[in-house]
Amino acid sequence: MKKSIVLIGLIIVLNLSGCAKLENGQDSNYNNELVYEDIVNEIIRFHVIANSNSEEDQNLKLKVRDRVIEFVSNNLKDCKSLNDAREFIINNKSEIESIAQFVVDENGYSYNVTSSLSKENFPDKVYGDVVFPQGEYEAYRILIGEAKGENWWCVMFPPLCFVDETKEAVNSKEVISSLETNNVKQKEEKIKFKFKLFEFLFRNKS
């Protein structure tokens, strides 16, 4: 019941005019701001951080992004819960790093690639037409070289990552729909687990 109220509130917020403006300078367009408490335990972010802000390093970052997303997207879409997604990332961390490192080497750079799944503090970020508020989020980050450049990011789970750098491929309806779908899946899994637990506890008491 509480979860339903939260989701209804989130939908209302998304349907109202947000207070944050688009980063591209279009003052007439407004974004919808999500509520931090409603989403912080529902998502895993994905960040690819460039070695520097040079044009070459920024282009390399996007190439790494494209190849990694190509690998993870087909797998994450089948994850039914945050724990499933987290387990996939942990189990495939080395392979993801290898893919990113291959892209770096393939393009003639000597940067080392590392990655981590951790809680990180992020500022307000615009994603499509939605604002993810400042706060500490769980995030999988790929760091290229010195990782001193600007990063590219998306929502890794629920799987909302997109390659369109104009950020026009995802809007608030898609975000809320994915979050709602994820919540429903998690509820179904919890119900199944509780039912199995009930069966186990009372199997010899009939």
Side-chain angles (χ1 to χ4, degrees):
M1 181 66 180
K2 184 178 179 182
K3 201 75 169 182
S4 299
I5 294 173
V6 170
L7 287 173
I8 292 172
L10 187 55
I11 294 171
I12 293 173
V13 169
L14 287 170
N15 286 327
L16 296 174
S17 296
C19 61
K21 297 180 180 180
L22 286 175
E23 291 180 333
N24 62 12
Q26 296 177 352
D27 293 340
S28 61
N29 293 326
Y30 291 87
N31 300 307
N32 300 302
E33 185 164 6
L34 299 174
V35 178
Y36 174 74
E37 290 76 13
D38 291 343
I39 63 172
V40 62
N41 296 316
E42 304 294 337
I43 68 171
I44 296 177
R45 296 168 61 140
F46 175 48
H47 291 250
V48 182
I49 308 172
N51 176 67
S52 74
N53 281 329
S54 70
E55 184 177 353
E56 293 81 5
D57 284 346
Q58 287 296 311
N59 287 335
L60 178 63
K61 171 193 71 178
L62 299 180
K63 291 178 180 179
V64 170
R65 170 203 69 183
D66 292 350
R67 198 73 64 85
V68 170
I69 288 180
E70 182 181 349
F71 171 72
V72 302
S73 60
N74 289 331
N75 295 283
L76 285 176
K77 69 181 182 181
D78 296 324
C79 291
K80 296 180 179 180
S81 70
L82 201 69
N83 284 334
D84 287 347
R86 190 180 292 122
E87 184 177 354
F88 167 78
I89 294 169
I90 293 172
N91 291 341
N92 292 274
K93 180 175 178 289
S94 295
E95 186 166 358
I96 295 171
E97 287 178 354
S98 295
I99 292 171
Q101 187 68 61
F102 178 81
V103 175
V104 170
D105 297 342
E106 182 182 46
N107 283 272
Y109 295 88
S110 58
Y111 306 140
N112 289 325
V113 174
T114 58
S115 69
S116 65
L117 179 65
S118 58
K119 291 287 186 70
E120 302 291 336
N121 192 26
F122 296 103
D124 289 351
K125 283 285 188 177
V126 177
Y127 186 76
D129 66 350
V130 181
V131 176
F132 281 71
Q134 183 273 335
E136 189 177 77
Y137 294 88
E138 186 170 14
Y140 180 60
R141 301 187 304 152
I142 293 179
L143 293 81
I144 304 173
E146 296 183 358
K148 293 182 177 179
E150 293 181 356
N151 77 109
W152 178 92
W153 82 285
C154 70
V155 177
M156 196 173 202
F157 185 83
L160 291 171
C161 283
F162 54 92
V163 176
D164 183 3
E165 63 181 1
T166 65
K167 291 185 170 63
E168 292 177 353
V170 172
N171 59 41
S172 55
K173 290 182 179 179
E174 291 175 273
V175 172
I176 186 60
S177 175
S178 293
L179 288 173
E180 284 182 319
T181 299
N182 182 45
N183 284 331
V184 169
K185 286 182 179 179
Q186 289 189 27
K187 284 181 179 178
E188 290 176 346
E189 289 302 309
K190 287 179 181 177
I191 291 172
K192 288 179 182 178
F193 175 78
K194 288 179 180 178
F195 185 74
K196 289 181 181 296
L197 180 62
F198 181 85
E199 280 186 327
F200 176 79
L201 291 174
F202 295 94
R203 67 189 185 283
N204 296 321
K205 295 185 179 183
S206 57

